[in-house]
Amino acid sequence: MRLPKPLEAIIIGMILFVAIIIFWEGVRRLVLGYPPAGSPEDTAAWVMENNKHPDLCFKMGALSIPFPAPLYSKMGPSTESNRKLCVFLIAQKMKDPRICELLLPGEYGLACISDLWPEVLPEDGCGWDVSNPKIFQCRHIGGPLRKSAICNDFSDNVKQFSACISYTASRDKSLEQCKNIPDADIRLFCQIKMKAWMDYPELRDSFYFGKQIPSDNP
């Protein structure tokens, strides 16, 4: 039994539409090299699994057929937010602050860099003594609290010594001091953060550069 012509035309149209979507998605991925459609997590995983450059996150959703975008375009994060999250996820997974530079200038880029500090110093808690900001202190997991105003006093522990120099460089806003850090991971962290300070003056009032948040208390 032959279908009515209007219904037949609708079915043929739907088949052609699906075929076009499949064809165009293939063009996007295989010819243009764009990431497949998906969430920021999916795109980040695709980039890493295929050894692609993280900047492909910024092509996430590009040239996609918008259907059925009108149904959900006003729901959830924006495309720009999803693209930035994709970069952020890759940086955290790869533990590489250089990837965070793709998010600069912007607070999100600084947050990306700062969130990697626990990765470069995973077993030591270090920072300035609140009661005396000139004193640097560190404690290894299960170890004693060590304090000193001189970084060389931590030289028997490469991680703590490197952390002290990094904190000092951050306090003095000195990219040059980062070069003296023996631990490669902490040195890279320091260099990327101080480079951001030098390159983006508009970010210097950021919390991530030590800007104090005003208190509500008088």
Side-chain angles (χ1 to χ4, degrees), residues 37-58:
S39 67
E41 292 80 5
D42 292 338
T43 304
W46 178 85
V47 168
M48 290 184 286
E49 289 170 2
N50 292 278
N51 296 316
K52 302 291 186 179
H53 195 282
D55 63 4
L56 277 176
C57 286
F58 294 114

Side-chain angles (χ1 to χ4, degrees), residues 13-90:
M14 292 176 64
I15 293 173
L16 287 175
F17 181 72
V18 172
I20 290 172
I21 291 177
I22 295 173
F23 171 77
W24 181 243
E25 184 62 19
V27 171
R28 285 183 68 255
R29 295 177 59 179
L30 301 178
V31 179
L32 301 178
Y34 284 17
S39 67
E41 292 80 5
D42 292 338
T43 304
W46 178 85
V47 168
M48 290 184 286
E49 289 170 2
N50 292 278
N51 296 316
K52 302 291 186 179
H53 195 282
D55 63 4
L56 277 176
C57 286
F58 294 114
K59 293 183 177 180
M60 178 181 170
L63 300 181
S64 294
I65 293 177
F67 181 85
L71 301 178
Y72 60 80
S73 60
K74 295 184 180 180
M75 300 172 60
S78 65
T79 299
E80 181 182 1
S81 295
N82 282 332
R83 289 171 175 173
K84 290 180 178 180
L85 177 57
C86 174
V87 174
F88 183 92
L89 292 172
I90 295 173

Side-chain angles (χ1 to χ4, degrees), residues 30-205:
L30 301 178
V31 179
L32 301 178
Y34 284 17
S39 67
E41 292 80 5
D42 292 338
T43 304
W46 178 85
V47 168
M48 290 184 286
E49 289 170 2
N50 292 278
N51 296 316
K52 302 291 186 179
H53 195 282
D55 63 4
L56 277 176
C57 286
F58 294 114
K59 293 183 177 180
M60 178 181 170
L63 300 181
S64 294
I65 293 177
F67 181 85
L71 301 178
Y72 60 80
S73 60
K74 295 184 180 180
M75 300 172 60
S78 65
T79 299
E80 181 182 1
S81 295
N82 282 332
R83 289 171 175 173
K84 290 180 178 180
L85 177 57
C86 174
V87 174
F88 183 92
L89 292 172
I90 295 173
Q92 303 305 304
K93 187 68 174 180
M94 301 296 291
K95 302 179 182 180
D96 189 345
R98 291 171 295 188
I99 297 174
C100 298
E101 291 185 294
L102 294 172
L103 299 174
L104 293 171
E107 289 282 330
Y108 203 16
L110 295 181
C112 178
I113 296 170
S114 296
D115 280 4
L116 286 173
W117 180 250
E119 301 295 340
V120 300
L121 194 70
E123 298 181 351
D124 296 85
C126 298
W128 298 115
D129 188 333
V130 177
S131 60
N132 186 349
K134 294 182 179 181
I135 300 296
F136 188 73
Q137 57 185 9
C138 270
R139 186 195 300 274
H140 187 75
I141 295 176
L145 180 64
R146 306 176 66 189
K147 295 186 177 185
S148 179
I150 303 172
C151 286
N152 283 336
D153 288 345
F154 297 92
S155 60
D156 60 331
N157 184 309
V158 174
K159 282 289 188 181
Q160 294 183 3
F161 179 50
S162 298
C164 183
I165 299 175
S166 180
Y167 265 81
T168 303
S170 182
R171 180 194 62 192
D172 298 343
K173 303 299 182 286
S174 171
L175 177 60
E176 189 67 23
Q177 291 183 34
C178 297
K179 297 178 181 179
N180 300 322
I181 297 174
D183 183 88
D185 292 335
I186 296 179
R187 181 171 64 250
L188 178 61
F189 175 92
C190 181
Q191 289 173 329
I192 296 299
K193 187 172 183 180
M194 288 302 95
K195 185 174 181 294
W197 167 270
M198 295 179 64
D199 291 348
Y200 305 108
E202 66 271 27
L203 296 178
R204 292 178 181 176
D205 284 337

